[in-house]
Amino acid sequence: MRRILHIDMDAFFASVEEALNPSLKGKALIIGGKKSDVRGVVATANYEARKYGVHSAMPLAKARELCPHGIFMRGNFEHYKAASEKVRVVLEEVSPLVEFASIDEAYVDISGSLGLFGGDDAIAAYIKSQILERSGLACTVAISSNKLVSKVAANQAKPDGYLNVGPGCEREFLHPLPISKLPGVGPRTAEVFESLGVLTIGALAGLKLGTLMGVFGQMGYTLRRSARGIATSVVEPYSLPKSISRETTFERDLLDWREIERVLAYLSERAVYAMREKDMETKSVTLKVRYADFKSYTFAKTLPEFTNVENVVFEVLRELLPKAKERRARVRLIGVCLSSLACDQRQMLLFGDKRRIKWQSAMESVDHIRGQYGFGCVRFAKSMAIGGKVKLATPSLSR
Ligand code: TTP
Ligand code: MG
């Protein structure tokens, strides 16, 4: 019998702050920026602050309006990483098959551990109590026969919850839920379904495959399977990132593209460095721009071959920039995303062109120095004009 557990920490960044400083408990707490910060967005809010309508990705200014008495904090990513590691230790005591989907969310294949712990309920109880004891943090756990159903179930059971969807009950569990709860159904897809009168996951599961594929193509097939509670993907312990992005909101909306380009150069340096740390290479570069009217656009380009050097990424971004400038609007946020990632094929170096080999070996030395003295000790001249010490306005979204 396959039993897959999903765990998601409750109000994660906020709960870590509360655990470090218990006097914050019971108060409305918002992480993402100080009260005086005019820019930036909410990373998360504790459940007290959520009562006022504050949620992740909301502009800080709006959060301040809704919850003026709230406590606002920038947050500290190192603390969140450390808390996440404590969670990992507990999960790995239960099973070696642990896959982190984000900093506060993981899947555990517990099929082989049921006998040892005395069943799935016992495993959930062990995980919840051990995490609380060792880190002071509450979490929500759900178990079912696959990742998809467990994820949906955990969302339903939040906060501090536990839900076990028994074998064979997956469909029955999903059917009454609104369509938007199904992974893969974003706000736009949900709108399409709603306009067709399809409001629940059950209604979607009942649609004819031909109808669905007519509207959504291949995605229609996947959605129908998901709606029927069918998911076959396995828990992959050391999952590699699918993309690496860095983005930031400016202190004030900018029209000066020279300044924007410098910040973009800095962000791509950070992204490429993070990618190399994971021994990965990219084949697709995306430029993200959010303008003053909050409209976001992305411009992407696929590279002829994989790269892990900044200069190649800079060149691609420079090609994409004219499209971003066309809108002639002030820019609120800029970001870069590296995707189509693959593990670095070092042996390919032998076949690379001379320039590439030169850059790769130069950056290897740079990374070595950065490993000892920190990222900021070696920077490209392109981004230096924005200053030596850069603080990104939305650090939590800029991993
Ligand atoms: P989530 O698990 O989505 O949210 P949460 O843990 O704060 O709250 P809950 O699960 O109880 O609903 O995200 C985990 C952390 O990731 C969150 O604490 C902060 C960070 N995060 C951002 O920085 N920006 C975002 O837009 C989101 C959604 C999360
Ligand atoms: Mg969470």
Side-chain angles (χ1 to χ4, degrees):
M1 191 169 60
R2 203 164 78 108
R3 301 305 282 158
I4 308 295
L5 180 146
H6 181 73
I7 173 173
D8 190 305
M9 305 304 295
D10 298 333
F12 185 51
F13 291 4
S15 306
V16 173
E17 297 298 344
E18 286 177 17
L20 290 169
N21 177 3
S23 74
L24 293 169
K25 282 198 179 133
K27 296 176 187 153
L29 179 61
I30 294 145
I31 311 294
K34 287 196 198 139
K35 208 173 219 162
S36 55
D37 286 346
V38 280
R39 316 286 296 183
V41 292
V42 175
T44 195
N46 69 358
Y47 280 79
E48 187 55 36
R50 289 184 201 189
K51 287 183 193 159
Y52 298 86
V54 179
H55 59 75
S56 296
M58 171 183 276
L60 280 172
K62 173 90 183 163
R64 216 167 35 232
E65 228 174 270
L66 292 171
C67 189
H69 62 285
I71 297 172
F72 288 73
M73 294 174 70
R74 284 229 166 117
N76 183 331
F77 201 67
E78 291 309 310
H79 293 161
Y80 312 145
K81 269 207 301 221
S84 180
E85 273 315 302
K86 284 189 186 167
V87 172
R88 178 191 293 278
V89 169
V90 174
L91 299 180
E92 286 179 347
E93 284 171 11
V94 170
S95 162
L97 301 174
V98 176
E99 174 186 341
F100 268 78
S102 76
I103 189 164
D104 89 321
E105 193 187 333
Y107 296 94
V108 190
D109 188 332
I110 54 168
S111 314
S113 318
L114 296 169
L116 190 64
F117 282 79
D120 48 13
D121 291 341
I123 291 179
Y126 177 82
I127 289 175
K128 279 178 69 86
S129 65
Q130 285 303 309
I131 290 178
L132 185 62
E133 196 176 309
R134 298 186 213 176
S135 67
L137 299 172
C139 63
T140 298
V141 168
I143 301 176
S144 79
S145 64
N146 65 55
K147 285 164 88 172
L148 177 109
V149 172
S150 297
K151 164 124 183 145
V152 177
N155 281 338
Q156 288 304 107
K158 272 193 162 293
D160 196 14
Y162 171 55
L163 192 56
N164 190 330
V165 180
C169 302
E170 296 83 8
R171 253 181 105 156
E172 196 184 312
F173 162 73
L174 290 176
H175 277 195
L177 302 179
I179 194 91
S180 58
K181 302 269 180 180
L182 191 68
V185 176
R188 262 174 238 157
T189 314
E191 256 173 46
V192 177
F193 277 121
E194 280 153 17
S195 71
L196 294 169
V198 178
L199 303 182
T200 62
I201 299 180
L204 163 54
L207 289 179
K208 287 214 172 70
L209 185 59
T211 316
L212 266 171
M213 290 187 72
V215 182
F216 295 104
Q218 190 57 32
M219 193 178 90
Y221 173 76
T222 313
L223 286 175
R224 189 161 175 275
R225 270 170 66 91
S226 303
R228 294 177 167 221
I230 305 166
T232 48
S233 79
V234 295
V235 175
E236 290 177 82
Y238 299 104
S239 89
L240 294 163
K242 303 229 168 9
S243 67
I244 293 174
S245 31
R246 292 291 184 277
E247 59 184 51
T248 194
T249 311
F250 293 117
E251 289 283 319
R252 60 198 160 77
D253 300 337
L254 288 185
L255 253 188
D256 178 359
W257 275 94
R258 275 177 315 180
E259 176 69 8
I260 298 169
E261 277 183 50
R262 289 184 200 119
V263 176
L264 189 63
Y266 176 72
L267 293 171
S268 29
E269 249 182 276
R270 291 272 300 257
V272 173
Y273 177 60
M275 181 177 72
R276 268 201 310 265
E277 269 194 319
K278 295 187 190 313
D279 277 334
M280 297 188 87
E281 301 184 300
T282 177
K283 210 169 188 281
S284 178
V285 176
T286 305
L287 166 67
K288 174 177 171 183
V289 188
R290 182 173 297 147
Y291 298 93
D293 58 4
F294 272 88
K295 288 212 169 98
S296 297
Y297 288 76
T298 55
F299 309 94
K301 189 173 173 190
T302 303
L303 311 179
E305 55 187 290
F306 283 97
T307 186
N308 66 0
V309 293
E310 286 80 349
N311 272 14
V312 180
V313 174
F314 291 153
E315 273 163 33
V316 175
L317 288 169
R318 206 169 295 132
E319 284 172 41
L320 293 171
L321 277 167
K323 290 189 196 153
K325 290 181 192 168
E326 268 171 24
R327 223 173 151 240
R328 294 183 193 287
R330 285 184 185 275
V331 174
R332 179 181 167 84
L333 169 149
I334 195 96
V336 58
C337 175
L338 310 174
S339 56
S340 302
L341 302 178
C343 286
D344 184 2
Q345 312 276 317
R346 278 182 199 273
Q347 67 275 26
M348 291 300 283
L349 255 179
L350 293 172
F351 308 107
D353 63 72
K354 268 197 187 141
R355 184 165 167 266
R356 178 185 156 130
I357 294 169
K358 207 179 89 188
W359 270 109
Q360 273 185 326
S361 62
M363 293 319 293
E364 216 163 87
S365 313
V366 167
D367 289 352
H368 182 69
I369 301 167
R370 282 170 167 174
Q372 286 178 305
Y373 302 104
F375 173 82
C377 71
V378 186
R379 295 255 307 271
F380 276 78
K382 285 183 188 63
S383 74
M384 277 311 285
I386 61 171
K389 273 218 152 142
V390 183
K391 192 152 180 77
L392 300 180
T394 47
S396 53
L397 291 173
S398 313
R399 266 165 260 153

Coordinates of all heavy atoms in Angstrom, one line a residue, residues 8-13 42-44 47 50 56-57 103-104 158 396-397 399, ligand 1:
D8 N 2.9 20.8 5.6 CA 3.1 22.3 5.2 C 3.1 23.0 6.6 O 2.1 22.9 7.4 CB 2.0 22.7 4.3 CG 2.3 24.1 3.8 OD1 2.5 25.1 4.6 OD2 2.3 24.3 2.5
M9 N 4.1 23.8 6.8 CA 4.2 24.5 8.1 C 3.2 25.7 8.1 O 2.9 26.3 7.0 CB 5.6 25.1 8.3 CG 6.7 24.1 8.2 SD 6.5 22.7 9.3 CE 6.8 23.6 10.9
D10 N 2.6 25.9 9.2 CA 1.6 27.0 9.3 C 2.2 28.4 9.4 O 3.1 28.6 10.3 CB 0.7 26.7 10.6 CG 0.0 25.4 10.5 OD1 -0.3 25.0 9.3 OD2 -0.3 24.8 11.5
A11 N 1.7 29.3 8.6 CA 2.2 30.7 8.6 C 3.7 30.7 8.9 O 4.2 31.4 9.8 CB 1.4 31.5 9.7
F12 N 4.5 30.0 8.1 CA 5.8 29.7 8.4 C 6.7 30.8 8.9 O 7.2 30.7 10.1 CB 6.5 28.9 7.2 CG 7.8 28.4 7.5 CD1 8.0 27.6 8.6 CD2 8.9 28.6 6.7 CE1 9.3 27.1 8.9 CE2 10.2 28.1 7.0 CZ 10.4 27.3 8.1
F13 N 7.0 31.8 8.1 CA 8.0 32.8 8.5 C 7.5 33.5 9.8 O 8.3 33.8 10.7 CB 8.1 33.9 7.4 CG 8.8 33.5 6.2 CD1 9.2 32.2 6.0 CD2 9.1 34.4 5.2 CE1 9.9 31.8 4.8 CE2 9.8 34.1 4.0 CZ 10.1 32.8 3.8
V42 N 3.9 41.6 1.2 CA 3.8 40.7 2.4 C 4.3 39.3 2.0 O 3.9 38.8 0.9 CB 2.3 40.6 2.8 CG1 2.2 39.6 3.9 CG2 1.8 41.9 3.2
A43 N 5.3 38.8 2.7 CA 5.8 37.4 2.5 C 4.7 36.5 3.1 O 4.3 35.5 2.5 CB 7.1 37.2 3.1
T44 N 4.4 36.7 4.4 CA 3.3 36.0 5.0 C 2.8 36.8 6.2 O 3.5 37.7 6.7 CB 3.7 34.6 5.5 OG1 2.5 33.8 5.7 CG2 4.6 34.6 6.7
Y47 N -2.0 34.0 11.5 CA -3.4 33.8 11.3 C -4.2 34.9 12.0 O -5.3 35.3 11.5 CB -3.9 32.4 11.8 CG -3.6 31.3 10.8 CD1 -2.3 30.8 10.6 CD2 -4.6 30.9 9.9 CE1 -2.0 29.9 9.6 CE2 -4.3 30.0 8.9 CZ -3.0 29.5 8.8 OH -2.7 28.6 7.8
R50 N -4.3 37.5 9.4 CA -5.2 37.1 8.2 C -6.6 37.4 8.5 O -7.4 37.5 7.5 CB -5.0 35.6 8.0 CG -3.6 35.3 7.4 CD -3.4 33.8 7.0 NE -2.0 33.5 6.9 CZ -1.5 32.4 6.5 NH1 -2.3 31.4 6.1 NH2 -0.2 32.2 6.5
S56 N -0.2 36.7 1.7 CA 1.0 36.7 1.0 C 0.9 37.5 -0.3 O -0.2 37.4 -1.0 CB 1.5 35.3 0.7 OG 1.8 34.6 1.8
A57 N 1.9 38.2 -0.7 CA 2.0 38.8 -2.0 C 1.2 40.1 -2.1 O 1.1 40.8 -3.1 CB 1.6 37.9 -3.2
I103 N 10.5 25.8 1.0 CA 11.2 25.8 2.3 C 10.3 25.3 3.4 O 10.8 24.8 4.4 CB 11.6 27.3 2.6 CG1 12.5 27.3 3.8 CG2 10.4 28.2 2.8 CD1 13.3 28.6 4.0
D104 N 9.0 25.3 3.3 CA 8.1 24.9 4.4 C 7.2 23.7 4.1 O 6.2 23.5 4.7 CB 7.4 26.1 5.0 CG 6.0 26.3 4.3 OD1 6.0 26.1 3.0 OD2 5.1 26.7 5.0
K158 N -5.7 23.0 7.2 CA -4.9 24.1 7.9 C -5.8 24.9 8.8 O -7.0 25.1 8.5 CB -4.4 25.0 6.8 CG -3.0 24.5 6.4 CD -2.3 25.5 5.5 CE -0.8 25.1 5.5 NZ -0.1 25.2 6.8
S396 N 12.3 38.0 0.6 CA 11.7 36.7 0.8 C 11.3 36.1 -0.6 O 11.2 34.9 -0.8 CB 10.6 36.7 1.7 OG 9.7 37.7 1.2
L397 N 11.1 37.0 -1.5 CA 10.7 36.6 -2.9 C 11.9 36.5 -3.8 O 11.7 36.3 -5.0 CB 9.6 37.5 -3.4 CG 8.3 37.5 -2.8 CD1 7.3 38.5 -3.3 CD2 7.6 36.1 -2.9
R399 N 14.8 34.7 -3.5 CA 15.7 33.6 -3.2 C 16.5 33.2 -4.4 O 15.9 33.2 -5.5 CB 15.0 32.4 -2.7 CG 14.9 32.4 -1.2 CD 13.9 31.4 -0.7 NE 12.7 32.2 -0.3 CZ 11.5 31.6 -0.4 NH1 11.3 30.4 -0.8 NH2 10.5 32.3 0.0
Ligands
TTP1 P1 3.1 29.1 2.4 O1 3.2 27.7 3.0 O2 2.3 29.4 1.2 O3 2.4 30.0 3.5 P2 2.5 30.0 5.1 O4 3.3 28.9 5.6 O5 3.0 31.4 5.6 O6 1.0 29.9 5.6 P3 0.1 28.6 5.5 O7 0.9 27.5 4.9 O8 -0.3 28.3 7.0 O9 -1.1 29.0 4.7 O10 4.5 29.7 2.3 C1 5.6 29.4 3.1 C2 6.5 30.6 3.3 O11 7.0 31.1 2.1 C3 5.8 31.8 4.0 O12 5.7 31.8 5.4 C4 6.5 33.0 3.4 C5 7.1 32.5 2.1 N1 6.3 33.1 1.0 C6 6.7 34.3 0.4 O13 7.7 34.8 0.8 N2 5.9 34.9 -0.5 C7 4.7 34.3 -1.0 O14 4.0 34.9 -1.9 C8 4.3 33.1 -0.4 C9 3.0 32.4 -0.8 C10 5.1 32.5 0.6

